Amino acid sequence: MNIREQLLTLLKESGESFISGEEMSRRLGVSRTAIWKHIEELRQEGYIFEAVRRSGYRLLSSPDITSAEEIKLGLQASVFGQHIHYYSTIDSTQNKCQELAKAGAPEGTLVIADEQAGGKGRLGRVWHAPAGKNISMSLLIRPQLELDQCPQITLLAAVAIVETIKELYSINAAIKWPNDVLIHGKKVCGILTELNAEADHVNWLIIGMGINVNTEQHEFPPGVSEIATSIAIQKGEKVRRVPFIQGVLQKLEELYQLYVNEGFTPVRKRWEANAITIGKRVIIRTLQGQLEGLAEGIDDTGVLLVRKNDGTVQKVYSADVEIQA
Ligand code: BTN
């Protein structure tokens, strides 16, 4: 941890109690002037301190910024999120994460941005996220996988997000195959998984997650507003992003360890327990065309099995799914 991170940890751990400049300087091994400079810098960024002569400082509130230090404080994951690259604005966290992966960044590296100028969605679409409101993040993993197992990781990520939303906010979220997370039928989160592989093995996977946290309905662009929602809209109040990011990272790590140790079956069960697609009549749209049928389930590679009207089962690898009423 750098000095700023250590200072914030100290102030957060002190809670309601004051901690003197002298004690902070002694515990962190830097001068009192250095402590004061960091506190002023933090004030500029929106941290609010109470300072009392002879007693010292206490932290009254932190801004809702998704910086590396805020995420790391209190994060209960041992690999995911141990290396965090935060940007106030960037083209796409996916591109930056690819760059870092190529340069040898370790598993668990997280790239997070407050705003993306060129956010990428699935099937070549654009992903919108206004500044200061949402979560746009990409996680690097380096799994020992066959190529055809990779879609399982995308499903795993959807389980992590849906379970975190349910646990933190008691909102009834659900997964639409393969990995859109919906609340009351509207999309709250999209996941884009990108792969770098050789013919016979996977080098790395990047799980890109875009979560609408505090967007208000009128802030979604036309055409998106009708099909999108946010956690704040559903909850009726703004929520802090950092606890949600920490929750998702912890859940992702837990599920990933389960997957590595026990395979896809337990993850698949949790996916199915949260999926709204299965057992429903669906319209599948792919670049090759459209088909209708009954979504019967997913197989062990994460492929959607659709029973067509002629009775045959078609495997669907990538598509847009419309659930029929
Ligand atoms: C979808 O189309 O549903 C997937 C959207 C994925 C968006 C996220 S935001 C973080 C990461 N960076 C990107 O450019 N895209 C993904």
Side-chain angles (χ1 to χ4, degrees), residues 94 118-128 187 191-192 194:
Q94 291 293 97
K120 301 191 283 184
R122 281 177 62 230
L123 309 169
R125 296 193 185 114
V126 172
W127 181 260
H128 299 275
K187 183 157 163 174
I191 301 169
L192 172 71
E194 292 180 327

Side-chain angles (χ1 to χ4, degrees), residues 67-316:
S67 60
E69 55 214 355
E70 280 294 323
I71 297 172
K72 278 191 192 165
L73 284 176
L75 174 66
Q76 281 163 16
S78 51
V79 179
F80 289 3
Q82 293 308 301
H83 299 266
I84 300 180
H85 300 254
Y86 167 78
Y87 299 88
S88 51
T89 179
I90 200 170
D91 60 339
S92 157
T93 55
Q94 291 293 97
N95 297 349
K96 178 48 88 178
C97 203
Q98 290 283 7
E99 238 178 67
L100 292 166
K102 266 186 212 123
E107 175 156 271
T109 296
L110 184 79
V111 179
I112 181 155
D114 200 46
E115 183 183 22
Q116 292 187 117
K120 301 191 283 184
R122 281 177 62 230
L123 309 169
R125 296 193 185 114
V126 172
W127 181 260
H128 299 275
K133 301 256 167 175
N134 292 335
I135 296 169
S136 304
M137 62 184 186
S138 301
L139 181 74
L140 169 65
I141 56 168
R142 297 181 177 276
Q144 303 275 316
L145 285 186
E146 304 291 324
L147 266 120
D148 66 354
Q149 291 174 299
C150 290
Q152 297 173 340
I153 299 291
T154 309
L155 302 180
L156 182 154
V159 176
I161 289 171
V162 93
E163 290 189 353
T164 307
I165 294 177
K166 286 180 162 176
E167 284 169 26
L168 289 187
Y169 311 116
S170 308
I171 295 176
N172 195 12
I175 307 168
K176 187 176 87 160
W177 185 90
N179 51 22
D180 282 351
V181 178
L182 310 185
I183 305 176
H184 296 133
K186 288 184 155 192
K187 183 157 163 174
V188 69
C189 164
I191 301 169
L192 172 71
T193 307
E194 292 180 327
L195 172 73
N196 182 293
E198 311 296 326
D200 57 349
H201 74 275
V202 174
N203 294 323
W204 65 77
L205 269 171
I206 293 175
I207 309 171
M209 293 160 275
I211 303 139
N212 303 328
V213 182
N214 287 319
T215 312
E216 293 172 40
Q217 202 69 59
H218 70 268
E219 292 174 308
F220 289 113
V224 174
S225 181
E226 299 73 24
I227 51 166
T229 190
S230 71
I231 292 173
I233 294 169
Q234 297 295 329
K235 216 173 162 322
E237 62 184 6
K238 283 195 168 178
V239 299
R240 289 181 70 87
R241 292 176 291 173
V242 167
F244 185 67
I245 295 164
Q246 292 170 331
V248 170
L249 289 173
Q250 286 158 200
K251 188 67 89 173
L252 274 168
E253 188 169 291
E254 175 210 320
L255 281 159
Y256 186 57
Q257 274 165 6
L258 182 71
Y259 176 77
V260 169
N261 295 331
E262 295 179 32
F264 184 54
T265 308
V267 176
R268 174 184 161 168
K269 286 192 181 136
R270 279 161 74 168
W271 186 91
E272 283 169 346
N274 286 293
I276 45 166
T277 317
I278 309 308
K280 301 267 171 58
R281 289 204 58 82
V282 288
I283 302 176
I284 303 287
R285 294 190 179 88
T286 65
L287 294 175
Q288 288 73 43
Q290 180 167 318
L291 78 97
E292 285 189 40
L294 179 72
E296 286 197 331
I298 54 170
D299 73 6
D300 256 335
T301 59
V303 164
L304 183 67
L305 306 170
V306 178
R307 189 166 296 275
K308 294 193 289 186
N309 297 340
D310 65 8
T312 59
V313 172
Q314 174 137 354
K315 289 185 171 187
V316 180

Side-chain angles (χ1 to χ4, degrees), residues 17-32:
S17 323
F18 285 90
I19 176 161
S20 70
E22 193 184 333
E23 187 176 347
M24 289 191 276
S25 124
R26 190 177 47 76
R27 299 227 341 227
L28 303 187
V30 295
S31 70
R32 285 179 67 173

